[in-house]
Amino acid sequence: MLRIHFTPQDLARLHLASGPDPLWELVCTLHRLQTTQGRWAYADWHRGARATLVGTPLGAAVRRLLVPLLPRARYLPDFLTPAESADGLDRGLAAVVDTPPDRVAHELSLLRGSSGAPAWAARLVERPAREELAKVLRAYYDAVVAPHHDRIHAELTGERALRAHEVLATGVDGLLSGLSPAMRWCPPVLHVDYVEDRDLHLDGRGLRLVPTYFCWQSPVSMADPQLRPVLIYPLRYKRQPAPYAPPTPPSPRCWAGPGRRRCAASRPARPPRSWRAAWGSRPPPRPTTPRSCATPA
């Protein structure tokens, strides 16, 4: 469980991403390739991605370089999903290349102690190695994520419209209460189903919410609590629609329109001819059944 602690200042600095975050989308697609969970929701994308990667040099580079660095595991190196990615892929990859070597070494040591890191990863403390990694990340994004940009952007636009309506109708409390089934808002703490148990105190820094198309069910945050707070959550969550009730067709006798004739439904119904013969305008009395013998409804 991840518990995100808000102050009044944090609620005022809560904001929703204005567009897709390319590196977070990239990371989540790699996770979709590493599991069958939720594959049905991305079936078309998955078939296309496999056709693009299997048996190609890019596919081999993804297996050798990207999957070991970004495993579907408890820990991910934060320097591979920098805040600058919110401004586009170019800015995000430039931030990856510019990451200080000591930070790269520290985060790779955390990855090594969590799920393991390949031996070659130690070379990423050198800038040329990070530049080569950025080239692979860009090639993978262009081949597997970019072709779906329009769909991702359309979904995110709809999400922003929905959340804006919630804020206007119910305030920030309503927004935080309806983000995802994996989150529960108990002011001033947002409880998030998470891979580990920890607390994140925002301390006035605010929180950036990033709806992500390829994120499936489980929200994600940065491992380092000192970095700019961000919460990645699934974009594909949809509320259950209300049960469908087919519209009642109008009476054919109403189709003439107002002023032409009264609808049959607006006039008292005449009793059947067989009733009138014996009972006048009243229906015949129904046989009564003792309450104790009545058939349950």
Side-chain angles (χ1 to χ4, degrees):
M1 179 69 66
L2 171 64
R3 291 170 294 275
I4 303 178
H5 299 260
F6 286 76
T7 66
Q9 292 78 13
D10 296 312
L11 293 174
R13 294 173 181 170
L14 180 71
H15 73 279
L16 192 68
S18 59
D21 187 305
L23 285 180
W24 274 114
E25 293 288 359
L26 182 154
V27 169
C28 290
T29 60
L30 287 171
H31 292 174
R32 300 284 66 75
L33 292 174
Q34 297 175 56
T35 179
T36 60
Q37 293 183 13
R39 183 170 294 179
W40 60 270
Y42 306 95
D44 292 343
W45 170 84
H46 190 269
R47 285 192 294 268
R50 283 186 56 82
T52 299
L53 297 175
V54 173
T56 66
L58 177 59
V62 168
R63 288 195 308 272
R64 186 175 66 87
L65 301 176
L66 301 189
V67 172
L69 280 181
L70 293 163
R72 185 173 175 271
R74 184 181 300 270
Y75 176 78
L76 300 174
D78 289 326
F79 80 92
L80 294 174
T81 52
E84 291 82 355
S85 180
D87 298 323
L89 184 64
D90 290 342
R91 291 286 303 276
L93 293 179
V96 170
V97 173
D98 291 339
T99 307
D102 56 346
R103 177 183 168 187
V104 174
H106 172 67
E107 294 186 4
L108 289 177
S109 68
L110 294 177
L111 178 64
R112 191 174 301 111
S114 174
S115 58
W120 58 262
R123 298 200 304 271
L124 289 174
V125 297
E126 303 168 3
R127 185 181 181 89
R130 295 195 299 279
E131 291 174 345
E132 290 302 314
L133 175 64
K135 293 178 182 178
V136 177
L137 288 168
R138 180 182 295 278
Y140 174 80
Y141 181 90
D142 290 343
V144 174
V145 183
H148 302 270
H149 177 268
D150 289 346
R151 180 189 300 180
I152 295 170
H153 194 274
E155 290 272 357
L156 190 139
T157 300
E159 173 75 1
R160 283 179 57 83
L162 172 64
R163 302 309 173 190
H165 174 76
E166 285 182 337
V167 170
L168 290 174
T170 61
V172 174
D173 282 342
L175 170 67
L176 293 174
S177 297
L179 284 175
S180 166
M183 304 185 206
R184 290 162 296 285
W185 173 237
C186 302
V189 180
L190 182 64
H191 298 258
V192 183
D193 292 342
Y194 212 64
V195 294
E196 61 180 353
D197 190 78
R198 66 185 178 98
D199 292 88
L200 173 60
H201 294 269
L202 300 179
D203 294 330
R205 295 175 294 167
L207 180 66
R208 177 171 170 254
L209 297 170
V210 184
T212 304
Y213 183 82
F214 287 103
C215 180
W216 177 252
Q217 291 188 335
S218 300
V220 187
S221 187
M222 306 299 278
D224 186 350
Q226 301 305 315
L227 295 174
R228 180 183 178 186
V230 62
L231 185 64
I232 311 302
Y233 72 93
L235 181 57
R236 296 186 65 90
Y237 164 57
K238 300 291 189 297
R239 287 175 171 77
Q240 291 295 324
Y244 173 71
T248 303
S251 169
R253 300 185 64 178
C254 296
W255 292 350
R260 298 285 300 277
R261 64 173 66 183
R262 294 175 65 194
C263 294
S266 66
R267 297 196 299 268
R270 299 185 63 190
R273 188 178 302 274
S274 59
W275 289 5
R276 296 199 300 271
W279 304 97
S281 61
R282 296 187 308 170
R286 295 181 180 179
T288 59
T289 304
R291 184 174 298 274
S292 60
C293 300
T295 303

